[in-house]
Amino acid sequence: MTLRINTNIASVRAVRHLEDTDRKLSDSLQRLASGFKINKGSDNPAGLVISEQMRGQIVGLNQAIENSELATSMVQTTEAALTEVNNLLIRMRQLALQANNQGGSDESTLAANQSEIEDALSTINRIAQNTQFGNRRLLNGSASVTGEAIGDGLSFISGNLHTQSSPVEGYTVNVDQVASQAFLRGSSALSESNLPGLKVTLFEGGKTVQVTAKDNDTPASFFGRLKRATEESGLALNLALDSNHIVVWHRDFGSSHSFQAGSSVAGVLSSGADQLQAATPGQDVAGTINGEAAVGRGQLLFGLTGNAHTDGLVVRYAGPLVAEGRDSSGDVIFQRRPTTGKVGVVNVANNALDFQIGPNAGQTATIALPNISPSFLARDVETPSGFANLDEIRLDTARGARDSIRMIDSAIDELTLTRGKLGAFQKNGL
């Protein structure tokens, strides 16, 4: 039996080249269809790794741009609402100034001003509750650092982006030293013998008041003129007459608020005649929050920068109200009587908004939007009228009108500072 082998080298080569051409054509068509040079690992193993990483970066950058544009729109919506609230506050300040013009305001005018103030406060509260971007409410505290204090005379003021949310039991506030006001009490009582020619000088905040006794003055009338002159000159001082001894103390708490006083008769206010004497300095509150260091400024206690949990947390401790007797009309007189030790706890929730503005993890920007409800504005101001926040202001008394101006000014400062932060966040962060 014979064996025969048939070969055709030319045809084998033709088939091989045809298959190779068909494969290359298929790859080319796939690249044309997909738009990618590398479609599978066999095309370029090393290049595939690099290209996929770059493609992920490109997609991430495009999404980050969209995120930034969305955040910008949200910030612009917030700022527009704050602008309207700012306009309302300016109108409220105008009304408070008008009410403080006691000589030109009667009871009906004051009532009308108070009615408009209440309407403006209601409008601010409505803006706070209803301003939203999509379904997210912006200015009702749901996107801010909020808190609630439990304890007599203890109140939450503010927090920042670094303030951590508290556990269920809250952060314990311990006070080692209570805040006090600068104080000066004359050692010698006013009398008929030392009144003739008596001059009393008060110096505070760059302003000076000097009152000279008249021939027909009594201790009560001289003190009344001194007190009225102090109020009219805008000195931040309170005066009282205790057994005919002049007592002066600063309205604000803390070591940074002081004054000087002098009298032409030694002991009436200054220990020496015709010289200014500095008041006994006030003290700042001192203590800890959650066992972490804090620094006092008046009645405000600030969590130190770098604290693990309370960085930027601000609380006020004024002390509980205690009945001190009754005034001439029979009404009970209440005074704040702060104590040391554990004074309460504060619960904090940090709901600041995070925006992904970069293509990689951790490339975020954070902003906290304020709670502009009137009950949350101007809480850092201590007034003789006892207004705890902007929602409580009243214009029907001279003192109430003066204190309302201070409260409104504080609220305006809060909002303008917030608008500045939002502008910087939009311009630089986004």
Side-chain angles (χ1 to χ4, degrees):
M1 181 177 181
T2 60
L3 180 63
R4 186 175 60 181
I5 301 176
N6 292 324
T7 60
N8 189 337
I9 301 301
S11 63
V12 169
R13 287 180 177 177
V15 169
R16 181 171 62 82
H17 286 299
L18 180 61
E19 291 175 349
D20 186 52
T21 301
D22 183 66
R23 184 176 65 255
K24 291 179 179 180
L25 178 61
S26 177
D27 291 342
S28 297
L29 291 175
Q30 187 177 18
R31 290 171 184 171
L32 287 171
S34 66
F36 298 124
K37 180 180 179 181
I38 303 173
N39 291 282
K40 53 185 181 295
S42 60
D43 292 339
N44 187 342
L48 177 67
V49 175
I50 298 173
S51 67
E52 289 302 300
Q53 290 176 346
M54 292 297 292
R55 195 153 63 96
Q57 287 285 306
I58 293 170
V59 172
L61 283 169
N62 290 332
Q63 185 59 52
I65 292 172
E66 293 182 14
N67 293 348
S68 295
E69 291 172 348
L70 183 68
T72 299
S73 298
M74 180 180 290
V75 170
Q76 290 173 343
T77 302
T78 304
E79 189 172 358
L82 293 178
T83 300
E84 293 304 315
V85 175
N86 217 93
N87 294 336
L88 288 168
L89 290 175
I90 291 173
R91 173 56 181 164
M92 289 169 58
R93 192 179 194 278
Q94 181 182 3
L95 292 171
L97 288 170
Q98 181 182 2
N100 199 39
N101 182 31
Q102 297 294 314
S105 302
D106 54 22
E107 291 184 1
S108 60
T109 301
L110 294 177
N113 288 346
Q114 180 63 32
S115 177
E116 187 172 349
I117 284 283
E118 292 174 356
D119 183 69
L121 291 172
S122 176
T123 302
I124 292 174
N125 190 64
R126 187 168 64 251
I127 293 174
Q129 299 304 318
N130 295 337
T131 300
Q132 58 188 72
F133 186 82
N135 292 324
R136 180 183 290 279
R137 299 188 185 275
L138 302 177
L139 298 172
N140 67 343
S142 60
S144 65
V145 181
T146 59
E148 188 67 33
I150 302 174
D152 290 337
L154 181 67
S155 55
F156 167 84
I157 300 299
S158 64
N160 64 23
L161 299 178
H162 304 290
T163 306
Q164 300 297 309
S165 297
S166 64
V168 176
E169 62 272 17
Y171 294 143
T172 301
V173 179
N174 282 285
V175 172
D176 303 320
Q177 173 181 284
V178 299
S180 63
Q181 299 147 293
F183 176 88
L184 188 62
R185 186 181 193 274
S187 58
S188 299
L190 290 175
S191 64
E192 300 294 339
S193 61
N194 61 18
L195 267 179
L198 173 65
K199 291 182 180 180
V200 171
T201 303
L202 298 174
F203 179 81
E204 187 275 330
K207 302 175 183 177
T208 304
V209 165
Q210 188 175 77
V211 176
T212 303
K214 298 180 179 180
D215 293 338
N216 58 348
D217 260 336
T218 64
S221 66
F222 174 78
F223 174 78
R225 289 196 299 113
L226 176 63
K227 184 175 182 179
R228 184 164 55 251
T230 302
E231 293 175 349
E232 292 174 349
S233 300
L235 274 68
L237 299 177
N238 294 317
L239 283 78
L241 198 60
D242 181 20
S243 301
N244 280 353
H245 288 76
I246 298 178
V247 183
V248 186
W249 67 98
H250 205 284
R251 290 179 185 172
D252 297 316
F253 287 80
S255 59
S256 61
H257 303 287
S258 187
F259 65 92
Q260 294 175 302
S263 56
S264 60
V265 177
V268 172
L269 263 183
S270 56
S271 57
D274 295 319
Q275 64 180 12
L276 285 177
Q277 178 177 333
T280 302
Q283 293 182 330
D284 298 308
V285 66
T288 60
I289 308 175
N290 193 43
E292 298 177 340
V295 62
R297 189 184 306 159
Q299 294 180 322
L300 301 178
L301 201 57
F302 295 77
L304 292 184
T305 301
N307 283 354
H309 300 91
T310 61
D311 185 343
L313 178 60
V314 184
V315 299
R316 171 194 277 138
Y317 178 62
L321 282 171
V322 178
E324 295 287 338
R326 296 181 180 273
D327 58 17
S328 57
S329 61
D331 295 329
V332 178
I333 301 174
F334 290 95
Q335 294 290 337
R336 294 283 184 182
R337 290 290 179 259
T339 60
T340 57
K342 179 182 176 180
V343 298
V345 297
V346 57
N347 291 284
V348 182
N350 189 334
N351 299 314
L353 303 177
D354 285 327
F355 297 97
Q356 180 72 36
I357 60 171
N360 301 318
Q363 295 179 341
T364 61
T366 306
I367 187 71
L369 305 180
N371 186 341
I372 62 167
S373 300
S375 59
F376 278 82
L377 293 175
R379 294 190 297 173
D380 59 339
V381 181
E382 184 77 12
T383 62
S385 300
F387 300 145
N389 51 62
L390 187 68
D391 200 37
E392 297 183 4
I393 63 173
R394 295 198 62 83
L395 307 181
D396 45 11
T397 64
R399 169 171 285 182
R402 287 196 300 271
D403 291 342
S404 294
I405 295 173
R406 295 180 60 198
M407 300 289 285
I408 295 170
D409 284 344
S410 175
I412 291 174
D413 290 342
E414 287 182 45
L415 258 65
T416 52
L417 180 62
T418 298
R419 291 176 64 187
K421 290 180 179 178
L422 289 175
F425 179 73
Q426 180 179 340
K427 180 178 180 180
N428 302 323
L430 299 179

